[in-house]
Amino acid sequence: MHSVKRLAHIDFNIPGVKAVGMELMRLINSPNPDMEAFARTVELDPAIFGSILACANSPLFAGIAEISDLRVALNRLGMKEIRRIIFHVVLESAFRSDNAEINKLLRAIWKQNLAVSLTMQRLIQECPQVKALPMEMVSMIYPLGLMHVIGIPVLAINFYEAFAKFIHEDLSRPLPEIYAREKELFDGFDHFELGAELIKRWGFPDFVPDIISTYHVPEPSLDAHSRTLHSLLRFARHLAQELGFAALPGAPEGFWLESNTLDVSKVNTQEIMADVTDQLKKITAMF
């Protein structure tokens, strides 16, 4: 791990992630969210406000009449969908760049993140170990999928020219080599460490950055519950690759299945992959 002194030279302010979005994630992550404070904060950001109304009026949730009142929209959607919308809108903006080539990569990564998150969410009922996790951990499954590579935008911001060169020269390598190459090019940092540090600063529970910092390692030193989530994330990455949503498709066969601790004997992967593909189309239409 890097010292605090070395980390002090890293800029963790991702331009697309606004203060309002950060406050909404803080509010939504609290044990008993204050929905009135949440609504007042949403009203400060027209883009987030519009996304919530659009989702509430989408075919998936629409009632008899179209609604324009935010608080009615929040009631219609329910907490589970509100969380998904907030994480989607806030985090999606992190995966953009003014550089066309970097932006192309970040957009592909975002699509991969969505596929991974939806797959993880879908697997909750299919995997006994996941279903038995504490509620605090289950509630973090969807954002974990969206955030697990959040360190990549941090690398792009802090090592702009080197990162652009990295895209040209190194992304054809297999994944283990790409990950090692990051440390060589970016002052000893990689996106696992920087992503974990950012998530700590954002105030997420400790198990989230622990998993983000080790998701590339087949057998990390994690407690049993965190190891379950770690395996869930890696299994979802495997299925996302099978679906063709891997932003970096050079993972060796079985790479994401190494040392998986989940009981997936009763998981119908084809059914899950079909469901995830369908959900991705619906989400793309809503945002």
Side-chain angles (χ1 to χ4, degrees):
M1 297 295 289
H2 290 283
S3 66
V4 172
K5 184 177 180 180
R6 287 199 70 200
L7 284 169
H9 295 286
I10 298 296
D11 182 1
F12 288 97
N13 296 307
I14 299 176
V17 179
K18 303 175 185 176
V20 169
M22 295 302 307
E23 176 63 11
L24 288 172
M25 287 202 298
R26 185 192 70 79
L27 288 168
I28 212 73
N29 280 339
S30 64
N32 297 296
D34 182 340
M35 294 311 295
E36 181 54 36
F38 180 84
R40 290 196 302 270
T41 305
V42 167
E43 289 169 339
L44 298 175
D45 190 296
I48 297 176
F49 185 101
S51 293
I52 289 176
L53 287 184
C55 289
N57 287 309
S58 71
L60 194 61
F61 298 102
I64 297 173
E66 183 172 328
I67 56 176
S68 57
D69 185 282
L70 174 63
R71 286 154 183 80
V72 175
L74 294 175
N75 287 331
R76 176 179 287 182
L77 290 166
M79 183 57 67
K80 179 181 177 181
E81 292 302 326
I82 292 169
R83 285 176 59 84
R84 285 177 57 160
I85 292 166
I86 293 305
F87 284 122
H88 181 107
V89 174
V90 174
L91 295 170
E92 186 269 347
S93 60
F95 292 87
R96 294 185 180 275
S97 173
D98 292 335
N99 178 292
E101 292 191 349
I102 294 176
N103 189 64
K104 182 179 179 181
L105 174 63
L106 293 181
R107 299 314 297 161
I109 290 171
W110 176 248
K111 194 169 186 179
Q112 170 192 279
N113 291 355
L114 275 176
V116 169
S117 287
L118 292 169
T119 302
M120 292 174 73
Q121 193 76 37
R122 180 66 173 73
L123 285 165
I124 293 174
Q125 298 303 318
E126 307 285 341
C127 299
Q129 298 121 295
V130 178
K131 195 175 180 180
L133 287 172
M135 186 54 63
E136 178 192 30
M137 300 189 96
V138 173
S139 69
M140 284 292 139
I141 285 175
Y142 191 75
L144 173 60
L146 292 182
M147 298 188 300
H148 74 283
V149 292
I150 195 70
I152 291 179
V154 179
L155 284 177
I157 292 164
N158 286 274
F159 304 96
Y160 188 82
E161 292 184 5
F163 192 85
K165 186 177 179 182
F166 171 64
I167 291 175
H168 275 293
E169 299 181 359
D170 295 286
L171 294 190
S172 61
R173 299 169 184 253
L175 275 191
E177 290 184 25
I178 291 176
Y179 294 158
R181 188 72 173 135
E182 287 183 7
K183 282 184 172 290
E184 295 173 11
L185 293 174
F186 306 127
D187 196 25
F189 291 102
D190 57 32
H191 77 269
F192 311 103
E193 180 179 1
L194 294 184
E197 179 65 24
L198 176 60
I199 295 308
K200 287 179 184 177
R201 294 178 182 218
W202 282 358
F204 280 81
D206 287 344
F207 66 86
V208 179
D210 287 348
I211 295 167
I212 286 174
S213 68
T214 60
Y215 81 83
H216 61 306
V217 180
E219 296 188 38
S221 178
L222 298 171
D223 63 61
H225 287 329
S226 295
R227 185 67 193 280
T228 295
L229 278 186
H230 176 272
S231 287
L232 178 66
L233 174 57
R234 286 175 61 88
F235 186 57
R237 279 291 296 261
H238 169 74
L239 292 183
Q241 180 164 302
E242 292 292 297
L243 276 169
F245 292 120
L248 303 176
E253 185 176 355
F255 177 79
W256 294 113
L257 297 178
E258 291 178 26
S259 303
N260 195 294
T261 63
L262 296 179
D263 176 7
V264 295
S265 59
K266 297 181 180 179
V267 173
N268 185 329
T269 56
Q270 295 302 315
E271 183 178 293
I272 288 175
M273 289 163 71
D275 288 349
V276 168
T277 300
D278 183 60
Q279 287 186 66
L280 272 170
K281 290 178 181 177
K282 292 178 180 177
I283 289 175
T284 301
M286 281 195 293
F287 292 97

